[in-house]
Amino acid sequence: MKNIDCFRCQYFYITWEASKPRGCKAFGFKTSRLPSQVVYETSGEACMKFRPKPNQTKSGKNKENGWIA
């Protein structure tokens, strides 16, 4: 499996649900694990919806607006 870092994807978000703290806006689900792992186990393929967050550098800072959460 190609390792996909959901934390760097523009569709990834953190929920307020303790039992399902991670979500994917592209696929529309919440999970307790990383969404990319669920997609791989369900389809057998790496996530095809991954899109890097815009203007993100390796240090985690946005060049124009400061930090990206």
Side-chain angles (χ1 to χ4, degrees):
M1 173 183 150
K2 179 183 172 187
N3 290 334
I4 295 178
D5 186 359
C6 291
F7 290 96
R8 295 184 182 269
C9 180
Q10 69 183 18
Y11 300 121
F12 177 78
Y13 68 101
I14 303 297
T15 74
W16 287 94
E17 295 180 39
S19 63
K20 297 178 183 176
R22 299 174 179 129
C24 177
K25 292 178 186 176
F27 285 109
F29 69 90
K30 299 174 188 174
T31 181
S32 60
R33 299 180 296 147
L34 284 177
S36 61
Q37 293 174 338
V38 175
V39 169
Y40 181 76
E41 290 177 6
T42 305
S43 68
E45 296 183 18
C47 181
M48 300 291 283
K49 301 273 186 172
F50 175 81
R51 298 291 179 268
K53 289 182 181 178
N55 300 323
Q56 185 172 6
T57 63
K58 288 187 179 183
S59 67
K61 288 185 178 180
N62 182 323
K63 291 180 182 178
E64 294 136 14
N65 301 325
W67 290 95
I68 295 177

PDB file of all heavy atoms in Angstrom, residues 31-63:
ATOM      1  N   THR A  31     -14.340   8.034  10.919  1.00  0.00           N
ATOM      2  CA  THR A  31     -13.759   6.773  11.343  1.00  0.00           C
ATOM      3  C   THR A  31     -12.837   6.978  12.543  1.00  0.00           C
ATOM      4  O   THR A  31     -12.436   8.100  12.834  1.00  0.00           O
ATOM      5  CB  THR A  31     -12.982   6.115  10.178  1.00  0.00           C
ATOM      6  OG1 THR A  31     -12.435   4.873  10.607  1.00  0.00           O
ATOM      7  CG2 THR A  31     -11.875   7.010   9.677  1.00  0.00           C
ATOM      8  N   SER A  32     -12.508   5.901  13.205  1.00  0.00           N
ATOM      9  CA  SER A  32     -11.559   5.973  14.315  1.00  0.00           C
ATOM     10  C   SER A  32     -10.120   5.826  13.825  1.00  0.00           C
ATOM     11  O   SER A  32      -9.180   6.128  14.550  1.00  0.00           O
ATOM     12  CB  SER A  32     -11.863   4.881  15.345  1.00  0.00           C
ATOM     13  OG  SER A  32     -11.758   3.605  14.750  1.00  0.00           O
ATOM     14  N   ARG A  33      -9.957   5.359  12.596  1.00  0.00           N
ATOM     15  CA  ARG A  33      -8.630   5.188  12.005  1.00  0.00           C
ATOM     16  C   ARG A  33      -8.405   6.241  10.937  1.00  0.00           C
ATOM     17  O   ARG A  33      -9.265   7.068  10.688  1.00  0.00           O
ATOM     18  CB  ARG A  33      -8.511   3.787  11.409  1.00  0.00           C
ATOM     19  CG  ARG A  33      -8.686   2.714  12.463  1.00  0.00           C
ATOM     20  CD  ARG A  33      -8.569   1.333  11.921  1.00  0.00           C
ATOM     21  NE  ARG A  33      -9.647   1.078  10.976  1.00  0.00           N
ATOM     22  CZ  ARG A  33      -9.527   0.295   9.916  1.00  0.00           C
ATOM     23  NH1 ARG A  33      -8.408  -0.323   9.670  1.00  0.00           N
ATOM     24  NH2 ARG A  33     -10.529   0.109   9.102  1.00  0.00           N
ATOM     25  N   LEU A  34      -7.258   6.201  10.280  1.00  0.00           N
ATOM     26  CA  LEU A  34      -7.026   7.123   9.175  1.00  0.00           C
ATOM     27  C   LEU A  34      -7.935   6.737   8.006  1.00  0.00           C
ATOM     28  O   LEU A  34      -8.031   5.557   7.660  1.00  0.00           O
ATOM     29  CB  LEU A  34      -5.570   7.080   8.724  1.00  0.00           C
ATOM     30  CG  LEU A  34      -4.566   7.794   9.604  1.00  0.00           C
ATOM     31  CD1 LEU A  34      -3.154   7.612   9.067  1.00  0.00           C
ATOM     32  CD2 LEU A  34      -4.888   9.267   9.706  1.00  0.00           C
ATOM     33  N   PRO A  35      -8.591   7.712   7.397  1.00  0.00           N
ATOM     34  CA  PRO A  35      -9.473   7.396   6.271  1.00  0.00           C
ATOM     35  C   PRO A  35      -8.776   6.653   5.141  1.00  0.00           C
ATOM     36  O   PRO A  35      -9.382   5.780   4.508  1.00  0.00           O
ATOM     37  CB  PRO A  35      -9.957   8.781   5.813  1.00  0.00           C
ATOM     38  CG  PRO A  35      -9.919   9.609   7.051  1.00  0.00           C
ATOM     39  CD  PRO A  35      -8.703   9.124   7.791  1.00  0.00           C
ATOM     40  N   SER A  36      -7.516   6.952   4.876  1.00  0.00           N
ATOM     41  CA  SER A  36      -6.813   6.263   3.785  1.00  0.00           C
ATOM     42  C   SER A  36      -6.694   4.762   4.058  1.00  0.00           C
ATOM     43  O   SER A  36      -6.731   3.959   3.120  1.00  0.00           O
ATOM     44  CB  SER A  36      -5.425   6.867   3.556  1.00  0.00           C
ATOM     45  OG  SER A  36      -4.626   6.730   4.710  1.00  0.00           O
ATOM     46  N   GLN A  37      -6.583   4.373   5.326  1.00  0.00           N
ATOM     47  CA  GLN A  37      -6.535   2.950   5.666  1.00  0.00           C
ATOM     48  C   GLN A  37      -7.876   2.275   5.387  1.00  0.00           C
ATOM     49  O   GLN A  37      -7.934   1.162   4.870  1.00  0.00           O
ATOM     50  CB  GLN A  37      -6.167   2.768   7.137  1.00  0.00           C
ATOM     51  CG  GLN A  37      -4.765   3.183   7.470  1.00  0.00           C
ATOM     52  CD  GLN A  37      -4.492   3.126   8.965  1.00  0.00           C
ATOM     53  OE1 GLN A  37      -5.410   3.175   9.778  1.00  0.00           O
ATOM     54  NE2 GLN A  37      -3.230   3.026   9.321  1.00  0.00           N
ATOM     55  N   VAL A  38      -8.953   2.956   5.720  1.00  0.00           N
ATOM     56  CA  VAL A  38     -10.291   2.412   5.479  1.00  0.00           C
ATOM     57  C   VAL A  38     -10.542   2.275   3.983  1.00  0.00           C
ATOM     58  O   VAL A  38     -11.067   1.253   3.521  1.00  0.00           O
ATOM     59  CB  VAL A  38     -11.366   3.309   6.140  1.00  0.00           C
ATOM     60  CG1 VAL A  38     -12.762   2.814   5.800  1.00  0.00           C
ATOM     61  CG2 VAL A  38     -11.166   3.377   7.642  1.00  0.00           C
ATOM     62  N   VAL A  39     -10.150   3.273   3.213  1.00  0.00           N
ATOM     63  CA  VAL A  39     -10.329   3.228   1.751  1.00  0.00           C
ATOM     64  C   VAL A  39      -9.550   2.055   1.174  1.00  0.00           C
ATOM     65  O   VAL A  39     -10.069   1.302   0.344  1.00  0.00           O
ATOM     66  CB  VAL A  39      -9.888   4.560   1.101  1.00  0.00           C
ATOM     67  CG1 VAL A  39      -9.817   4.426  -0.416  1.00  0.00           C
ATOM     68  CG2 VAL A  39     -10.835   5.679   1.491  1.00  0.00           C
ATOM     69  N   TYR A  40      -8.315   1.858   1.626  1.00  0.00           N
ATOM     70  CA  TYR A  40      -7.500   0.765   1.107  1.00  0.00           C
ATOM     71  C   TYR A  40      -8.112  -0.599   1.443  1.00  0.00           C
ATOM     72  O   TYR A  40      -8.192  -1.487   0.594  1.00  0.00           O
ATOM     73  CB  TYR A  40      -6.081   0.850   1.652  1.00  0.00           C
ATOM     74  CG  TYR A  40      -5.198  -0.256   1.128  1.00  0.00           C
ATOM     75  CD1 TYR A  40      -4.711  -0.211  -0.174  1.00  0.00           C
ATOM     76  CD2 TYR A  40      -4.871  -1.351   1.916  1.00  0.00           C
ATOM     77  CE1 TYR A  40      -3.919  -1.231  -0.667  1.00  0.00           C
ATOM     78  CE2 TYR A  40      -4.084  -2.371   1.429  1.00  0.00           C
ATOM     79  CZ  TYR A  40      -3.610  -2.310   0.132  1.00  0.00           C
ATOM     80  OH  TYR A  40      -2.840  -3.325  -0.357  1.00  0.00           O
ATOM     81  N   GLU A  41      -8.561  -0.759   2.683  1.00  0.00           N
ATOM     82  CA  GLU A  41      -9.142  -2.043   3.091  1.00  0.00           C
ATOM     83  C   GLU A  41     -10.462  -2.318   2.370  1.00  0.00           C
ATOM     84  O   GLU A  41     -10.796  -3.466   2.104  1.00  0.00           O
ATOM     85  CB  GLU A  41      -9.351  -2.074   4.596  1.00  0.00           C
ATOM     86  CG  GLU A  41      -8.045  -2.148   5.361  1.00  0.00           C
ATOM     87  CD  GLU A  41      -8.240  -2.098   6.850  1.00  0.00           C
ATOM     88  OE1 GLU A  41      -9.392  -2.109   7.324  1.00  0.00           O
ATOM     89  OE2 GLU A  41      -7.227  -2.045   7.559  1.00  0.00           O
ATOM     90  N   THR A  42     -11.201  -1.272   2.051  1.00  0.00           N
ATOM     91  CA  THR A  42     -12.492  -1.439   1.387  1.00  0.00           C
ATOM     92  C   THR A  42     -12.342  -1.699  -0.105  1.00  0.00           C
ATOM     93  O   THR A  42     -13.008  -2.572  -0.661  1.00  0.00           O
ATOM     94  CB  THR A  42     -13.368  -0.182   1.596  1.00  0.00           C
ATOM     95  OG1 THR A  42     -13.486   0.067   3.000  1.00  0.00           O
ATOM     96  CG2 THR A  42     -14.741  -0.354   1.008  1.00  0.00           C
ATOM     97  N   SER A  43     -11.471  -0.940  -0.764  1.00  0.00           N
ATOM     98  CA  SER A  43     -11.365  -1.031  -2.221  1.00  0.00           C
ATOM     99  C   SER A  43     -10.170  -1.845  -2.712  1.00  0.00           C
ATOM    100  O   SER A  43     -10.144  -2.260  -3.863  1.00  0.00           O
ATOM    101  CB  SER A  43     -11.264   0.379  -2.818  1.00  0.00           C
ATOM    102  OG  SER A  43     -10.033   0.976  -2.458  1.00  0.00           O
ATOM    103  N   GLY A  44      -9.156  -1.989  -1.851  1.00  0.00           N
ATOM    104  CA  GLY A  44      -7.944  -2.683  -2.275  1.00  0.00           C
ATOM    105  C   GLY A  44      -6.980  -1.781  -3.022  1.00  0.00           C
ATOM    106  O   GLY A  44      -5.966  -2.243  -3.529  1.00  0.00           O
ATOM    107  N   GLU A  45      -7.306  -0.496  -3.122  1.00  0.00           N
ATOM    108  CA  GLU A  45      -6.459   0.468  -3.811  1.00  0.00           C
ATOM    109  C   GLU A  45      -6.180   1.661  -2.907  1.00  0.00           C
ATOM    110  O   GLU A  45      -6.965   1.973  -2.013  1.00  0.00           O
ATOM    111  CB  GLU A  45      -7.143   0.964  -5.087  1.00  0.00           C
ATOM    112  CG  GLU A  45      -7.353  -0.119  -6.113  1.00  0.00           C
ATOM    113  CD  GLU A  45      -7.974   0.417  -7.388  1.00  0.00           C
ATOM    114  OE1 GLU A  45      -7.930   1.630  -7.602  1.00  0.00           O
ATOM    115  OE2 GLU A  45      -8.499  -0.398  -8.158  1.00  0.00           O
ATOM    116  N   ALA A  46      -5.063   2.331  -3.166  1.00  0.00           N
ATOM    117  CA  ALA A  46      -4.738   3.541  -2.409  1.00  0.00           C
ATOM    118  C   ALA A  46      -5.780   4.614  -2.715  1.00  0.00           C
ATOM    119  O   ALA A  46      -6.427   4.600  -3.768  1.00  0.00           O
ATOM    120  CB  ALA A  46      -3.348   4.036  -2.787  1.00  0.00           C
ATOM    121  N   CYS A  47      -5.936   5.528  -1.814  1.00  0.00           N
ATOM    122  CA  CYS A  47      -6.935   6.595  -1.951  1.00  0.00           C
ATOM    123  C   CYS A  47      -6.686   7.408  -3.225  1.00  0.00           C
ATOM    124  O   CYS A  47      -5.599   7.931  -3.434  1.00  0.00           O
ATOM    125  CB  CYS A  47      -6.894   7.510  -0.732  1.00  0.00           C
ATOM    126  SG  CYS A  47      -8.096   8.834  -0.806  1.00  0.00           S
ATOM    127  N   MET A  48      -7.710   7.514  -4.034  1.00  0.00           N
ATOM    128  CA  MET A  48      -7.610   8.250  -5.299  1.00  0.00           C
ATOM    129  C   MET A  48      -8.053   9.707  -5.141  1.00  0.00           C
ATOM    130  O   MET A  48      -7.916  10.494  -6.058  1.00  0.00           O
ATOM    131  CB  MET A  48      -8.475   7.578  -6.365  1.00  0.00           C
ATOM    132  CG  MET A  48      -8.079   6.144  -6.651  1.00  0.00           C
ATOM    133  SD  MET A  48      -6.499   6.009  -7.457  1.00  0.00           S
ATOM    134  CE  MET A  48      -6.957   6.465  -9.094  1.00  0.00           C
ATOM    135  N   LYS A  49      -8.594  10.063  -3.988  1.00  0.00           N
ATOM    136  CA  LYS A  49      -9.113  11.416  -3.772  1.00  0.00           C
ATOM    137  C   LYS A  49      -8.104  12.330  -3.076  1.00  0.00           C
ATOM    138  O   LYS A  49      -8.398  13.493  -2.849  1.00  0.00           O
ATOM    139  CB  LYS A  49     -10.389  11.360  -2.923  1.00  0.00           C
ATOM    140  CG  LYS A  49     -11.495  10.553  -3.522  1.00  0.00           C
ATOM    141  CD  LYS A  49     -12.329  11.386  -4.434  1.00  0.00           C
ATOM    142  CE  LYS A  49     -13.529  10.589  -4.901  1.00  0.00           C
ATOM    143  NZ  LYS A  49     -14.459  11.407  -5.633  1.00  0.00           N
ATOM    144  N   PHE A  50      -6.930  11.825  -2.717  1.00  0.00           N
ATOM    145  CA  PHE A  50      -5.946  12.633  -2.000  1.00  0.00           C
ATOM    146  C   PHE A  50      -5.568  13.873  -2.805  1.00  0.00           C
ATOM    147  O   PHE A  50      -5.225  13.796  -3.974  1.00  0.00           O
ATOM    148  CB  PHE A  50      -4.680  11.823  -1.711  1.00  0.00           C
ATOM    149  CG  PHE A  50      -3.594  12.642  -1.072  1.00  0.00           C
ATOM    150  CD1 PHE A  50      -3.609  12.897   0.281  1.00  0.00           C
ATOM    151  CD2 PHE A  50      -2.573  13.189  -1.831  1.00  0.00           C
ATOM    152  CE1 PHE A  50      -2.619  13.667   0.878  1.00  0.00           C
ATOM    153  CE2 PHE A  50      -1.572  13.952  -1.258  1.00  0.00           C
ATOM    154  CZ  PHE A  50      -1.604  14.190   0.104  1.00  0.00           C
ATOM    155  N   ARG A  51      -5.652  15.026  -2.143  1.00  0.00           N
ATOM    156  CA  ARG A  51      -5.211  16.304  -2.708  1.00  0.00           C
ATOM    157  C   ARG A  51      -4.436  17.031  -1.621  1.00  0.00           C
ATOM    158  O   ARG A  51      -4.971  17.240  -0.534  1.00  0.00           O
ATOM    159  CB  ARG A  51      -6.392  17.179  -3.144  1.00  0.00           C
ATOM    160  CG  ARG A  51      -7.263  16.582  -4.224  1.00  0.00           C
ATOM    161  CD  ARG A  51      -6.525  16.506  -5.553  1.00  0.00           C
ATOM    162  NE  ARG A  51      -7.345  15.900  -6.590  1.00  0.00           N
ATOM    163  CZ  ARG A  51      -7.383  14.614  -6.899  1.00  0.00           C
ATOM    164  NH1 ARG A  51      -6.648  13.759  -6.230  1.00  0.00           N
ATOM    165  NH2 ARG A  51      -8.145  14.159  -7.858  1.00  0.00           N
ATOM    166  N   PRO A  52      -3.196  17.424  -1.889  1.00  0.00           N
ATOM    167  CA  PRO A  52      -2.424  18.121  -0.849  1.00  0.00           C
ATOM    168  C   PRO A  52      -3.076  19.448  -0.483  1.00  0.00           C
ATOM    169  O   PRO A  52      -3.721  20.090  -1.308  1.00  0.00           O
ATOM    170  CB  PRO A  52      -1.064  18.354  -1.488  1.00  0.00           C
ATOM    171  CG  PRO A  52      -1.134  17.856  -2.871  1.00  0.00           C
ATOM    172  CD  PRO A  52      -2.467  17.256  -3.119  1.00  0.00           C
ATOM    173  N   LYS A  53      -2.916  19.819   0.776  1.00  0.00           N
ATOM    174  CA  LYS A  53      -3.429  21.111   1.218  1.00  0.00           C
ATOM    175  C   LYS A  53      -2.724  22.205   0.428  1.00  0.00           C
ATOM    176  O   LYS A  53      -1.526  22.120   0.171  1.00  0.00           O
ATOM    177  CB  LYS A  53      -3.173  21.309   2.714  1.00  0.00           C
ATOM    178  CG  LYS A  53      -4.035  20.422   3.569  1.00  0.00           C
ATOM    179  CD  LYS A  53      -3.776  20.681   5.032  1.00  0.00           C
ATOM    180  CE  LYS A  53      -4.621  19.761   5.879  1.00  0.00           C
ATOM    181  NZ  LYS A  53      -4.366  19.941   7.305  1.00  0.00           N
ATOM    182  N   PRO A  54      -3.440  23.243   0.047  1.00  0.00           N
ATOM    183  CA  PRO A  54      -2.825  24.301  -0.761  1.00  0.00           C
ATOM    184  C   PRO A  54      -1.763  25.083   0.002  1.00  0.00           C
ATOM    185  O   PRO A  54      -1.912  25.334   1.199  1.00  0.00           O
ATOM    186  CB  PRO A  54      -4.004  25.199  -1.130  1.00  0.00           C
ATOM    187  CG  PRO A  54      -5.050  24.904  -0.128  1.00  0.00           C
ATOM    188  CD  PRO A  54      -4.833  23.489   0.314  1.00  0.00           C
ATOM    189  N   ASN A  55      -0.672  25.439  -0.684  1.00  0.00           N
ATOM    190  CA  ASN A  55       0.392  26.298  -0.145  1.00  0.00           C
ATOM    191  C   ASN A  55       1.035  25.768   1.127  1.00  0.00           C
ATOM    192  O   ASN A  55       1.470  26.542   1.961  1.00  0.00           O
ATOM    193  CB  ASN A  55      -0.127  27.707   0.110  1.00  0.00           C
ATOM    194  CG  ASN A  55      -0.633  28.349  -1.144  1.00  0.00           C
ATOM    195  OD1 ASN A  55      -0.080  28.156  -2.213  1.00  0.00           O
ATOM    196  ND2 ASN A  55      -1.702  29.100  -1.026  1.00  0.00           N
ATOM    197  N   GLN A  56       1.101  24.469   1.290  1.00  0.00           N
ATOM    198  CA  GLN A  56       1.729  23.914   2.489  1.00  0.00           C
ATOM    199  C   GLN A  56       3.183  23.610   2.215  1.00  0.00           C
ATOM    200  O   GLN A  56       3.524  23.007   1.211  1.00  0.00           O
ATOM    201  CB  GLN A  56       1.020  22.649   2.936  1.00  0.00           C
ATOM    202  CG  GLN A  56       1.574  22.121   4.239  1.00  0.00           C
ATOM    203  CD  GLN A  56       0.747  20.975   4.785  1.00  0.00           C
ATOM    204  OE1 GLN A  56      -0.164  20.515   4.134  1.00  0.00           O
ATOM    205  NE2 GLN A  56       1.068  20.528   5.952  1.00  0.00           N
ATOM    206  N   THR A  57       4.049  24.033   3.122  1.00  0.00           N
ATOM    207  CA  THR A  57       5.469  23.741   3.013  1.00  0.00           C
ATOM    208  C   THR A  57       5.809  22.566   3.913  1.00  0.00           C
ATOM    209  O   THR A  57       4.995  22.127   4.726  1.00  0.00           O
ATOM    210  CB  THR A  57       6.310  24.962   3.416  1.00  0.00           C
ATOM    211  OG1 THR A  57       6.055  25.245   4.787  1.00  0.00           O
ATOM    212  CG2 THR A  57       5.972  26.169   2.561  1.00  0.00           C
ATOM    213  N   LYS A  58       7.016  22.054   3.829  1.00  0.00           N
ATOM    214  CA  LYS A  58       7.419  20.928   4.659  1.00  0.00           C
ATOM    215  C   LYS A  58       7.431  21.268   6.141  1.00  0.00           C
ATOM    216  O   LYS A  58       7.242  20.412   6.977  1.00  0.00           O
ATOM    217  CB  LYS A  58       8.793  20.420   4.234  1.00  0.00           C
ATOM    218  CG  LYS A  58       8.768  19.691   2.923  1.00  0.00           C
ATOM    219  CD  LYS A  58      10.102  19.069   2.619  1.00  0.00           C
ATOM    220  CE  LYS A  58      10.036  18.319   1.310  1.00  0.00           C
ATOM    221  NZ  LYS A  58      11.279  17.644   1.008  1.00  0.00           N
ATOM    222  N   SER A  59       7.634  22.509   6.492  1.00  0.00           N
ATOM    223  CA  SER A  59       7.665  22.886   7.904  1.00  0.00           C
ATOM    224  C   SER A  59       6.275  22.998   8.507  1.00  0.00           C
ATOM    225  O   SER A  59       6.132  23.167   9.702  1.00  0.00           O
ATOM    226  CB  SER A  59       8.382  24.230   8.070  1.00  0.00           C
ATOM    227  OG  SER A  59       7.612  25.262   7.477  1.00  0.00           O
ATOM    228  N   GLY A  60       5.215  22.890   7.681  1.00  0.00           N
ATOM    229  CA  GLY A  60       3.867  22.984   8.190  1.00  0.00           C
ATOM    230  C   GLY A  60       3.323  24.407   8.211  1.00  0.00           C
ATOM    231  O   GLY A  60       2.231  24.645   8.703  1.00  0.00           O
ATOM    232  N   LYS A  61       4.084  25.342   7.697  1.00  0.00           N
ATOM    233  CA  LYS A  61       3.637  26.728   7.684  1.00  0.00           C
ATOM    234  C   LYS A  61       3.105  27.095   6.299  1.00  0.00           C
ATOM    235  O   LYS A  61       3.627  26.665   5.294  1.00  0.00           O
ATOM    236  CB  LYS A  61       4.771  27.688   8.026  1.00  0.00           C
ATOM    237  CG  LYS A  61       5.180  27.643   9.459  1.00  0.00           C
ATOM    238  CD  LYS A  61       6.219  28.718   9.727  1.00  0.00           C
ATOM    239  CE  LYS A  61       6.627  28.730  11.179  1.00  0.00           C
ATOM    240  NZ  LYS A  61       7.618  29.771  11.438  1.00  0.00           N
ATOM    241  N   ASN A  62       2.082  27.904   6.291  1.00  0.00           N
ATOM    242  CA  ASN A  62       1.557  28.468   5.066  1.00  0.00           C
ATOM    243  C   ASN A  62       2.335  29.751   4.822  1.00  0.00           C
ATOM    244  O   ASN A  62       2.410  30.605   5.686  1.00  0.00           O
ATOM    245  CB  ASN A  62       0.065  28.745   5.239  1.00  0.00           C
ATOM    246  CG  ASN A  62      -0.577  29.301   4.003  1.00  0.00           C
ATOM    247  OD1 ASN A  62       0.018  30.086   3.281  1.00  0.00           O
ATOM    248  ND2 ASN A  62      -1.803  28.893   3.761  1.00  0.00           N
ATOM    249  N   LYS A  63       2.891  29.904   3.653  1.00  0.00           N
ATOM    250  CA  LYS A  63       3.762  31.046   3.373  1.00  0.00           C
ATOM    251  C   LYS A  63       3.047  32.380   3.548  1.00  0.00           C
ATOM    252  O   LYS A  63       3.646  33.346   3.960  1.00  0.00           O
ATOM    253  CB  LYS A  63       4.296  30.956   1.950  1.00  0.00           C
ATOM    254  CG  LYS A  63       5.276  29.838   1.754  1.00  0.00           C
ATOM    255  CD  LYS A  63       5.760  29.815   0.323  1.00  0.00           C
ATOM    256  CE  LYS A  63       6.718  28.664   0.112  1.00  0.00           C
ATOM    257  NZ  LYS A  63       7.165  28.580  -1.268  1.00  0.00           N
TER     258      LYS A  63
END
